[in-house]
């Protein structure tokens, strides 16, 4: 929502709005001229308000919604405003269960700069994922969680992968596939669909009836994705060209994400070598393998991973770049997701040496006594050592007890676990200073 506010100001709208609490994000919006206030209340809606824009997270009993209804003010979903902001540009959208924010940011950079609305903080976004750039292109992250991606009409689209997530919205994988298929059907016949290496994404792309560019191992692939002898990413295009990708971010999944961005940028008229060269400057987006600091020889990194596929990819990237032990602090997100995926989450965390699992971050969902973070911890297979640490403070104390020089600590999840990384760096520094180091006692079995 803060990203949309920034874009709306850049497009010439007068903007006001509220959030539950004050923050640096609201302060940054106020600096742009947005009347950004803390606390939801009816009086926050200006007398001359033309439209109220809301996200799916806004409850039906919100006082501003009630005031808008009383005054006859139109209420629209945030995706409607996004579609309107895109309408003055040539729209591109990135969809999929995982990797949307990273790939959207990569696409913007591969194009040499474009306007963008991305679901993670990006460089130049003032603490948001919004950039009002030069040129004809507008890159949007397409959100399937509430089916709002169906409000977008992009000329070109990337479908990275298809997976069953957002269990309160989708009862089955088939329902997810139906939504993505409907999204691809909105790409014009003169447009293009880029599909990532995942087979379900490729199948939906081929079935869309639109021109398709397949990334990955397939007979009709636009490019295959591999590694050069020096470890850099290597794209082998169907026309015989080879394009080297030198990325600052780790992981095979990021090489595939970048390949999809290059494929769509090429359709937009950017030479693949130039697009790949642009991506050398990509350092990631907020909360995607984001360094928090190093203290007492322990490196701390924060990541948004909250689905088994994301946890597995993040841990694989960690193994690729770091050679010490990996301590994963995982906060399950949503009762519905944890109930559906606890076994898969536990299995994914088995790639860590030590897995500390907190209680579930409920977010918008009511408490469900039938599922717990302990269930996930109990599902972590050996040889990984798992411990249930219900509160973030419990997880912090466990890290301080167990960590030793050379370890990598990953804080994982979509909730307030993101606050733990910086706290851990400070606590390690405070406990061990510059000369001491963690005792590194082996964790109990």
């Amino acid at each position: 929502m803060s990203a949309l506010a920034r874009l709306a100001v850049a497009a010439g709208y007068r903007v006001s709005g509220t959030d539950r609490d004050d923050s640096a994000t609201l302060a940054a919006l106020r600096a742009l001229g947005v009347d950004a206030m803390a606390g939801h209340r009816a009086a926050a809606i200006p007398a001359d308000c033309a439209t109220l824009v809301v996200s799916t997270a806004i409850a039906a009993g919100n006082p501003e919604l009630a005031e808008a209804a009383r005054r006859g003010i139109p209420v629209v979903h945030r995706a409607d405003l996004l579609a309107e902001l895109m309408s003055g540009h040539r729209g591109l959208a990135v969809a999929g269960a995982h990797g949307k924010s990273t790939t959207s940011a990569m696409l913007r950079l591969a194009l040499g700069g474009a306007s963008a609305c991305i679901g993670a903080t990006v460089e130049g976004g003032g603490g948001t994922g919004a950039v009002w750039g030069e040129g004809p292109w507008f890159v949007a992250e397409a959100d399937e969680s509430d089916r709002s991606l169906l409000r977008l009409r992009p000329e070109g689209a990337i479908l990275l992968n298809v997976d069953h997530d957002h269990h309160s919205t989708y009862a089955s994988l088939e329902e997810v596939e139906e939504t993505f298929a409907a999204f691809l059907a909105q790409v014009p016949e003169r447009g293009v669909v880029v599909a990532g290496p995942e087979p379900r994404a490729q199948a939906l792309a081929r079935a869309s009836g639109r021109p398709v560019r397949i990334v990955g191992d397939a007979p009709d692939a636009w490019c295959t994705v591999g590694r050069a002898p020096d470890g850099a990413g290597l794209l082998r295009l169907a026309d015989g060209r080879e394009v080297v990708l030198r990325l600052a971010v780790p992981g095979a999944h990021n090489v595939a994400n970048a390949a999809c961005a290059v494929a769509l940028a090429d359709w937009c008229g950017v030479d693949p070598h130039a697009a790949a060269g642009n991506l050398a400057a990509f350092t990631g987006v907020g909360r995607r393998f984001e360094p928090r600091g190093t203290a007492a020889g322990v490196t701390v990194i924060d990541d948004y991973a909250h689905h088994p596929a994301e946890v597995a990819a993040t841990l694989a990237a960690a193994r690729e770049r770091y050679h010490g032990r990996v301590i994963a602090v995982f906060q399950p997100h949503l009762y519905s997701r944890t109930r559906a995926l606890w076994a898969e989450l536990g299995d994914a965390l088995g790639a860590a040496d030590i897995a500390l699992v907190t209680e579930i971050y409920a977010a918008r969902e009511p408490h469900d006594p039938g599922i717990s973070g302990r269930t996930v911890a109990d599902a972590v297979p050996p040889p990984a050592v798992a411990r249930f640490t219900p509160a973030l403070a419990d997880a912090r104390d466990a890290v301080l007890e167990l960590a030793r020089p050379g370890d990598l600590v990953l804080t994982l999840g979509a909730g307030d676990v993101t606050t733990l990384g910086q706290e851990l760096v400070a606590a390690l520094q405070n406990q061990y200073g510059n000369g001491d180091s963690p005792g590194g006692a082996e964790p109990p079995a």
Side-chain angles (χ1 to χ4, degrees):
M1 294 298 287
S2 57
L4 286 169
R6 290 179 64 89
L7 292 170
V9 168
Y13 293 86
R14 185 161 51 88
V15 181
S16 67
T18 61
D19 199 2
R20 182 178 57 191
D21 303 305
D22 207 356
S23 63
T25 300
L26 293 193
L29 289 175
R30 287 193 286 267
L32 293 176
V34 176
D35 187 8
M37 299 163 278
H40 300 304
R41 55 196 181 277
I45 299 183
D48 58 348
C49 177
T51 305
L52 180 64
V53 183
V54 299
S55 77
T56 306
I58 301 302
N62 181 278
E64 290 160 57
L65 274 176
E67 179 66 8
R70 187 186 71 81
R71 289 163 50 182
I73 298 171
V75 178
V76 303
H77 189 273
R78 59 175 177 81
D80 295 313
L81 176 58
L82 175 58
E84 184 171 331
L85 292 166
M86 289 179 69
S87 64
H89 298 75
R90 300 184 67 184
L92 305 171
V94 180
H98 321 292
K100 295 185 291 294
S101 296
T102 294
T103 307
S104 297
M106 285 178 167
L107 176 58
R108 178 183 172 271
L109 199 59
L111 290 167
S115 298
C117 188
I118 298 168
T121 57
V122 298
E123 186 176 352
T128 75
V131 180
W132 193 262
E134 301 294 330
W137 301 107
F138 190 114
V139 177
E141 178 176 336
D143 182 11
E144 83 284 3
S145 68
D146 55 3
R147 295 188 172 91
S148 60
L149 79 172
L150 299 179
R151 292 173 162 92
L152 305 180
R153 300 291 187 274
E155 287 188 42
I158 295 173
L159 180 59
L160 294 166
N161 40 58
V162 181
D163 211 339
H164 189 194
D165 198 2
H166 310 294
H167 296 80
S168 60
T169 301
Y170 299 101
S172 65
L173 177 60
E174 289 71 26
E175 286 189 11
V176 179
E177 291 176 329
E178 289 170 4
T179 295
F180 281 133
F183 167 68
L184 297 182
Q186 294 174 173
V187 174
E189 292 183 359
R190 58 178 174 77
V192 69
V193 173
V194 174
E198 198 267 322
R200 286 188 291 263
Q202 293 182 3
L204 286 175
R206 291 190 180 97
S208 70
R210 281 24 180 195
V212 173
R213 293 189 171 195
I214 299 294
V215 170
D217 295 327
D220 58 343
W222 183 82
C223 76
T224 59
V225 183
R227 293 284 190 177
D230 64 356
L234 181 64
L235 310 185
R236 291 186 173 89
L237 277 58
D239 62 11
R241 289 179 291 173
E242 292 189 345
V243 177
V244 176
L245 280 169
R246 301 193 184 281
L247 301 176
V249 291
H253 64 293
N254 276 322
V255 177
N257 291 340
C260 291
V262 169
L264 186 50
D266 174 75
W267 181 84
C268 295
V270 180
D271 179 80
H273 293 284
N278 292 339
L279 288 175
F282 181 74
T283 56
V285 299
R287 297 220 57 213
R288 273 62 171 185
F289 216 83
E290 183 175 6
R292 290 294 195 234
T294 300
V298 178
T299 298
V300 181
I301 287 176
D302 183 50
D303 196 274
Y304 190 67
H306 55 280
H307 184 280
E310 297 163 354
V311 172
T314 300
L315 287 171
R319 295 293 189 190
E320 178 182 303
R321 179 157 292 188
Y322 296 90
H323 302 294
R325 296 189 310 169
V326 175
I327 301 175
V329 181
F330 177 66
Q331 182 186 57
H333 186 256
L334 298 178
Y335 293 106
S336 59
R337 178 182 287 120
T338 309
R339 179 177 286 281
L341 298 174
W342 61 268
E344 292 89 341
L345 287 166
D347 189 59
L349 287 166
D353 295 288
I354 301 172
L356 307 175
V357 183
T358 75
E359 195 48 275
I360 298 166
Y361 186 81
R364 59 189 175 273
E365 294 185 344
H367 178 66
D368 180 353
I371 188 68
S372 166
R374 184 185 294 276
T375 310
V376 177
D378 289 345
V380 177
V385 174
R387 182 184 292 184
F388 179 51
T389 51
L392 293 182
D394 299 325
R396 176 202 62 211
D397 293 345
V399 171
L400 294 177
E401 171 196 344
L402 300 172
R404 63 193 188 204
D407 285 352
L408 170 68
V409 176
L410 284 169
T411 56
L412 304 169
D416 59 0
V417 69
T418 186
T419 64
L420 184 60
Q422 210 66 53
E423 182 182 347
L424 279 172
V425 173
L428 286 163
Q429 185 65 39
N430 181 62
Q431 181 164 318
Y432 300 107
N434 293 321
D436 297 329
S437 61
E442 289 295 333

